[in-house]
Amino acid sequence: MLKEIDLTQLKINPFTEIGKEWMLISAGDKQKYNMMTASWGGFGVMWNKNVSTIVIRPQRYTLEFVENKDYYALNFFDQKYKSALSYCGAHSGRDVNKEKETGLTPIFDAQAPYFSEAKLVLICHKLFKQKLDPNGFIDKNIDKHWYPEKDYHECFVGEIIKVLINEN
């Protein structure tokens, strides 16, 4: 069961939770939603707000849901869900039913869908969006290594408006 806590109670190592254990970005509504696995992103303070930063490549199906809605959710899971996250990262919601294939259970009682199996959920209100500009890379190897197809990420900054933790 997920319960809301104050953001100041949040104890998370973003380098582990995002970079090693991954997260699911979810957006949409009960009629239509999607989720994708992400291992890049961050948290901090900007414009005097507590924010998350996420990046989504243009070919990802989840991008249209994040672009078309005012909110998105970041879902963090225990290790036992790593195969579900791996599946969501390797398959497109255009082609498969990720909910059915992973067994994850969506909940639609917030501004963005999230999953009952998550150990932590951050509901975020979009504040900013911009495509990464290759002219901004000071280290030109980043462009060469990470963007050989020139499929630059869309970057989103969202205010974290709700934090939910799983009490199970």
Side-chain angles (χ1 to χ4, degrees):
M1 170 133 188
L2 289 154
K3 87 167 194 175
E4 188 169 357
I5 64 166
D6 187 88
L7 180 63
T8 60
Q9 294 178 295
L10 184 60
K11 297 194 183 343
I12 184 172
N13 179 335
F15 305 104
T16 302
E17 294 291 334
I18 298 171
K20 303 238 183 290
E21 296 178 6
W22 311 334
M23 64 182 168
L24 277 185
I25 300 170
S26 56
D29 55 35
K30 196 170 189 169
Q31 285 69 46
K32 194 170 184 182
Y33 75 96
N34 200 50
M35 70 279 217
M36 63 171 269
T37 302
S39 61
W40 292 2
F43 306 114
V45 178
M46 193 158 193
W47 308 304
N48 210 29
K49 297 177 185 290
N50 299 311
V51 299
S52 70
T53 303
I54 60 171
V55 291
I56 304 175
R57 289 196 192 259
Q59 61 267 43
R60 297 303 300 258
Y61 185 45
T62 303
L63 178 60
E64 72 182 62
F65 293 90
V66 174
E67 285 185 318
N68 293 325
K69 295 295 182 180
D70 291 334
Y71 296 85
Y72 58 87
L74 304 179
N75 301 264
F76 298 88
F77 296 83
D78 288 327
Q79 277 299 114
K80 67 182 178 181
Y81 293 99
K82 189 79 169 195
S83 63
L85 272 70
S86 185
Y87 185 89
C88 290
H91 296 86
S92 173
R94 289 183 190 99
D95 306 322
V96 298
N97 180 332
K98 292 182 185 182
E99 178 185 330
K100 179 181 172 199
E101 296 298 325
T102 62
L104 295 177
T105 310
I107 298 175
F108 299 98
D109 66 358
Q111 295 87 340
Y114 61 95
F115 297 92
S116 67
E117 295 84 1
K119 66 180 178 182
L120 170 67
V121 175
L122 305 176
I123 305 293
C124 304
H125 180 239
K126 284 188 324 190
L127 301 174
F128 175 84
K129 173 198 158 196
Q130 183 173 337
K131 184 182 275 297
L132 290 182
D133 179 351
N135 293 316
F137 290 122
I138 295 166
D139 180 345
K140 300 302 180 192
N141 289 322
I142 293 172
D143 190 19
K144 188 186 317 179
H145 180 77
W146 293 105
Y147 299 100
E149 306 297 320
K150 305 302 179 204
D151 57 342
Y152 299 103
H153 285 94
E154 294 285 346
C155 178
F156 295 89
V157 176
E159 181 179 10
I160 301 167
I161 61 159
K162 186 183 286 188
V163 178
L164 302 166
I165 60 166
N166 204 321
E167 294 186 304
N168 294 338

